[in-house]
Amino acid sequence: MKRALFIVPLLALSACAYPMGMPAPQATPAAVVMTPPPPAPTVNPGSARERFLAAAAANGCEVNTANTSAILAAATLSQPDMARVMTELRAEGGGEIAPDGRSFRVTSGRCV
């Protein structure tokens, strides 16, 4: 008899756990959980030459020891790439060695 008195309240409490007629809660599948997309890779528009010309124009159309690092950073070029672009510009008449022999002057694009 004492066992029945102990089980009856437990059964009564378990009946209150879920309302009648309502479905039991379901766990959300992991595939449904939305994750943010990865960030898009940054693309540097334009060719190395275009970026160099824009950076040189922004720095006074002359490449010297004072502004070389700023031009490299703005154009996202390495020193060999910048040397190649300056050599091409010089061969095509778009740039020249400055009279001091230590600077390069751009004479094309926005630096005419």
Side-chain angles (χ1 to χ4, degrees):
M1 178 75 179
K2 288 185 180 185
R3 287 185 190 171
L5 290 176
F6 180 72
I7 293 175
V8 172
L10 288 176
L11 290 175
L13 287 175
S14 66
C16 296
Y18 293 108
M20 301 273 301
M22 295 200 62
Q26 299 287 327
T28 305
V32 177
V33 176
M34 299 294 289
T35 59
T42 56
V43 177
N44 200 350
S47 66
R49 180 185 199 143
E50 292 169 351
R51 295 191 315 261
F52 172 77
L53 289 173
N59 284 287
C61 297
E62 189 169 313
V63 181
N64 55 35
T65 56
N67 65 3
T68 300
S69 60
I71 292 173
L72 286 171
T76 59
L77 294 172
S78 64
Q79 284 185 332
D81 288 337
M82 185 171 77
R84 179 185 49 82
V85 170
M86 289 191 309
T87 302
E88 291 172 0
L89 283 172
R90 186 172 175 216
E92 296 170 2
E96 63 187 12
I97 304 288
D100 66 1
R102 303 174 90 188
S103 304
F104 182 82
R105 196 175 320 158
V106 179
T107 59
S108 65
R110 291 185 272 173
C111 296
V112 177

